[in-house]
Amino acid sequence: MNAGTRTEIEQRAAQWLAQRDGEAWSDADEAALQAWLAADVAHRVAFLRLEAAWQQGERLQALGAGWKHSGPPPRGHWQAPPETRREQLLQALERTQAPPSGVRRSRMTRVLAVAAMLVCIVSAGLGWHAYTRVDSVSLSTRLGAIETQSLGDGSQATLASDSALDVHLSRRERRVELLRGEAIFDVAKDPGRPFVVDAGARQIVAVGTRFSVRRDAGELRVVVTEGTVRLQSADGAADQPSSLLPAGSVARIEGGNELVRSMAVADAEQLLEWRDGLLFFHNTSLRDAVAEFNRYNTRKIVVADARAAELRVGGHFRWDNVDAFVRLLERGFPVRAEIDDQRIVLRSP
Amino acid sequence: MHRALDRWFTDEILVHEEALLRYLRQACPTLEEAHDLRQDIYTRVYEAAGNALPTQPKAFLFATARNLLADRARRAKVVSIEPMGDFEPSLVLIDDVSPERWCGGRQALKHLAEAFDRLPDRCREVVWLRRVEELSQKDVAARLGITEKTVEKHIAKGMRLLADHWFGGHASAEKHTAVRDQRDERRHAD
């Protein structure tokens, strides 16, 4: 390493990147940078590393979502337990209460931006306000995105790819309408206010627990990983008995039929691993596994024939790594893949 | 021409930095030293990959690390304190799914929040304004009442600290960054 010490190289690489990030970057600068990169592989690897980290910084925007003030939130903002997250509450309220007219919103923002003490007082007021009225908020995710949102009552919802739900919080109950897709709910305990998820013909009622609900055309799936939830028909009608689902239950509802499977909680949790970017299959038909991948990706996999569709697969996969999945399939199964930019077709040889 | 190799390096090698540092720390008394080795290892890996792309990037990375440590121990001519010890690279290879922070899920954001929160105040503010509020460096300077040159310096510093926190994760001890911050702070106190 005669091209300078590691620290010197890193400092230089950071300087280049910071300079390039500014407005005055010229062709001559670019040429000088390329020359520097070409001079030593050590330069290039240091540069790549910092560039990647800086690009990751873009994801800070996800953290910034909902934070309406200028400048960063106080340290530890994202670590604070939900119930002490006054800001979170403020954000939720701001998001939901601001009417479409921009006027009140900007006044609201200004009010919130005053002194910290004032914020405390205001938030106490708003907190009470939240308790006495209905707050609504709509959440949704794009294809390929997963997002965790606080609901303002201390509960959290993690939305899977291409999912949407409406949240209504009132003094008597917390109501979530799952419009499409799937969401995991971490429900804050509040015996006085049941947490109800509406999913078409069924309702799932919880007090303080963790469960997920998935709504597909014609099928509903409920996975409970903590506590107990009650599954009942939408209007509490007497013709459908309600069932109690303890942790480890996986209920599938299709048409009027309801099938409940009990499994170890750890197994049930594996069904929710998409939250961490993973898909879990165990003796799953290729048809179902592919459908799972397609929930998350724009480039769809198509299974061309019934024989291939019936193959059984297992394992953990990253849902954003379709290529690895397909590669492994080709290696281990009688399947051939035809790959183009739009889609991947799997067929028996 | 470099693009494909650069991308491979970012996606397949950099993602293992936390594990690599943890491994190197077994043999290095200071984190600084581990980072120096880390840089040498990256250089070797990148050079080798230029000739032929390793099919098992992570295994190749750790094999390179092990060779480098062995060279170093030979040169040092002291009885080293078991450079490998009970920390065989094979153990590192167990987590076959690449680090979760790269998956874009909840964990990734939590990790990013932690890395961001560890930045010094001013630096944190500059990074936020530039990265989240997407102000230009010029506007950041105007907002904070500092020169554009200083904004640039904060960005350069923020980038390095984010890289250490993000890639190094928990293997980068607080002590290390604290020392570095002071040094940088002094340099920026102009």
Side-chain angles (χ1 to χ4, degrees):
Chain A
M1 297 230 65
N2 41 19
T5 68
R6 194 235 336 148
T7 317
E8 280 163 8
I9 293 173
E10 280 180 3
Q11 276 169 358
R12 189 72 193 102
Q15 260 170 31
W16 281 117
L17 282 158
Q19 203 187 330
R20 194 177 67 172
D21 182 67
E23 284 95 82
W25 188 250
S26 67
D27 289 349
D29 291 330
E30 180 65 32
L33 167 62
Q34 290 308 328
W36 184 77
L37 289 175
D40 195 317
V41 176
H43 293 177
R44 184 175 290 275
V45 293
F47 184 87
L48 288 174
R49 177 171 175 272
L50 294 180
E51 188 184 38
W54 187 241
Q55 270 163 12
Q56 285 298 325
E58 210 159 63
R59 294 216 260 166
L60 282 169
Q61 289 184 357
L63 292 171
W67 178 255
K68 294 290 192 292
H69 313 269
S70 180
R75 276 202 176 71
H77 171 73
W78 297 286
Q79 267 81 32
E83 56 272 24
T84 62
R85 244 189 212 174
R86 187 176 292 118
E87 290 88 347
Q88 203 83 47
L89 173 68
L90 280 170
Q91 285 165 35
L93 287 169
E94 204 180 346
R95 205 166 39 225
T96 56
Q97 292 190 332
S101 81
V103 185
R104 228 186 93 188
R105 186 193 190 86
S106 70
R107 193 189 304 146
M108 183 75 146
T109 315
R110 238 177 295 139
V111 168
L112 294 176
V114 190
M117 223 180 82
L118 200 62
V119 168
C120 289
I121 298 165
V122 172
S123 95
L126 292 181
W128 177 80
H129 202 49
Y131 199 67
T132 53
R133 53 160 286 165
V134 179
D135 283 308
S136 301
V137 60
S138 297
L139 305 174
S140 63
T141 46
R142 284 175 294 112
L143 196 71
I146 289 179
E147 246 171 78
T148 299
Q149 295 275 356
S150 293
L151 301 183
D153 67 327
S155 301
Q156 291 194 325
T158 302
L159 277 71
S161 161
D162 191 22
S163 301
L165 50 81
D166 287 340
V167 184
H168 313 278
L169 300 177
S170 76
R171 187 161 58 125
R172 283 178 302 109
E173 74 176 359
R174 300 170 283 177
R175 228 185 166 88
V176 173
E177 194 177 345
L178 182 65
L179 303 169
R180 66 165 190 277
E182 177 169 11
I184 299 176
F185 300 97
D186 282 290
V187 181
K189 282 211 166 39
D190 188 348
R193 280 202 296 174
F195 191 100
V196 182
V197 178
D198 284 309
R202 297 297 162 108
Q203 284 183 338
I204 300 92
V205 186
V207 179
T209 183
R210 199 155 85 104
F211 62 101
S212 91
V213 181
R214 168 192 287 192
R215 183 174 180 183
D216 285 332
E219 198 199 60
L220 191 67
R221 188 186 79 174
V222 180
V223 179
V224 187
T225 54
E226 202 184 295
T228 303
V229 305
R230 189 168 72 241
L231 183 65
Q232 60 191 33
S233 56
D235 30 25
D239 59 328
Q240 279 284 345
S242 63
S243 15
L244 283 178
L245 307 177
S249 304
V250 176
R252 283 176 198 279
I253 299 101
E254 211 181 329
N257 302 317
E258 187 179 308
L259 177 71
V260 180
R261 254 173 79 199
S262 296
M263 50 174 81
V265 173
D267 291 339
E269 266 166 356
Q270 288 188 314
L271 294 172
L272 306 186
E273 284 189 340
W274 54 262
R275 164 148 71 173
D276 297 318
L278 295 173
L279 295 174
F280 169 73
F281 305 124
H282 175 68
N283 196 20
T284 308
S285 72
L286 186 56
R287 179 187 293 112
D288 291 346
V290 158
E292 211 55 40
F293 271 101
N294 288 345
R295 296 178 84 89
Y296 292 91
N297 295 294
T298 41
R299 190 170 57 151
K300 305 293 184 199
I301 309 178
V302 181
V303 185
D305 56 274
R307 212 167 96 215
E310 285 311 317
L311 292 170
R312 296 276 150 178
V313 299
H316 283 77
F317 300 94
R318 300 247 316 267
W319 55 252
D320 58 357
N321 199 348
V322 179
D323 295 321
F325 175 68
V326 170
R327 217 161 43 230
L328 284 170
L329 274 178
E330 279 196 296
R331 210 173 291 163
F333 292 86
V335 166
R336 257 195 3 255
E338 291 154 21
I339 301 174
D340 64 39
D341 288 346
Q342 310 298 323
R343 56 183 210 160
I344 299 169
V345 181
L346 301 174
R347 63 175 87 243
S348 302
Chain B
M1 66 234 139
H2 280 296
R3 272 347 279 188
L5 189 54
D6 288 355
R7 176 172 298 243
W8 173 85
F9 181 77
T10 307
D11 293 347
E12 302 289 345
I13 298 298
L14 287 179
V15 289
H16 302 300
E17 182 161 317
E18 184 170 358
L20 178 66
L21 278 177
R22 233 183 295 130
Y23 176 57
L24 295 175
R25 283 292 270 150
Q26 308 290 311
C28 296
T30 70
L31 188 65
E32 283 296 322
E33 225 177 308
H35 271 292
D36 288 345
L37 279 172
R38 190 257 301 147
Q39 166 82 355
D40 285 355
I41 293 163
Y42 282 171
T43 306
R44 286 193 189 189
V45 167
Y46 190 95
E47 270 167 349
N51 299 327
L53 219 53
T55 49
Q56 307 243 13
K58 189 172 182 180
F60 184 75
L61 173 68
F62 279 89
T64 309
R66 187 168 36 188
N67 290 341
L68 203 93
L69 283 180
D71 285 356
R72 188 164 153 277
R74 255 198 311 279
R75 270 198 313 266
K77 282 194 199 123
V78 248
V79 181
S80 86
I81 30 159
E82 292 284 310
M84 296 312 131
D86 53 356
F87 201 77
E88 277 299 312
S90 60
L91 289 177
V92 181
L93 296 175
I94 288 172
D95 56 331
D96 51 351
V97 179
S98 70
E100 62 195 359
R101 80 190 50 140
W102 291 84
C103 306
R106 193 174 57 136
Q107 289 299 321
L109 279 182
K110 187 166 166 282
H111 188 81
L112 182 61
E114 281 167 12
F116 176 70
D117 269 357
R118 283 163 67 183
L119 297 178
D121 285 344
R122 225 343 136 58
C123 188
R124 188 167 171 271
E125 212 169 350
V126 169
V127 169
W128 182 270
L129 292 176
R130 178 78 194 93
R131 236 39 194 124
V132 179
E133 299 190 18
E134 295 188 305
L135 300 183
S136 65
Q137 288 192 12
K138 197 170 159 195
D139 292 343
V140 175
R143 171 81 67 91
L144 299 177
I146 54 181
T147 66
E148 282 182 59
K149 201 73 209 160
T150 312
V151 170
E152 199 181 291
K153 279 181 185 167
H154 280 301
I155 285 178
K157 175 161 112 184
M159 216 175 270
R160 291 179 56 205
L161 292 174
L162 277 179
D164 283 0
H165 300 162
W166 174 263
F167 295 118
H170 297 292
S172 288
E174 262 77 11
K175 205 177 83 209
H176 159 70
T177 49
V179 169
R180 187 117 111 208
D181 287 355
Q182 277 168 17
R183 223 165 46 209
D184 283 8
E185 217 75 86
R186 262 203 304 279
R187 204 154 18 86
H188 291 310
D190 47 1

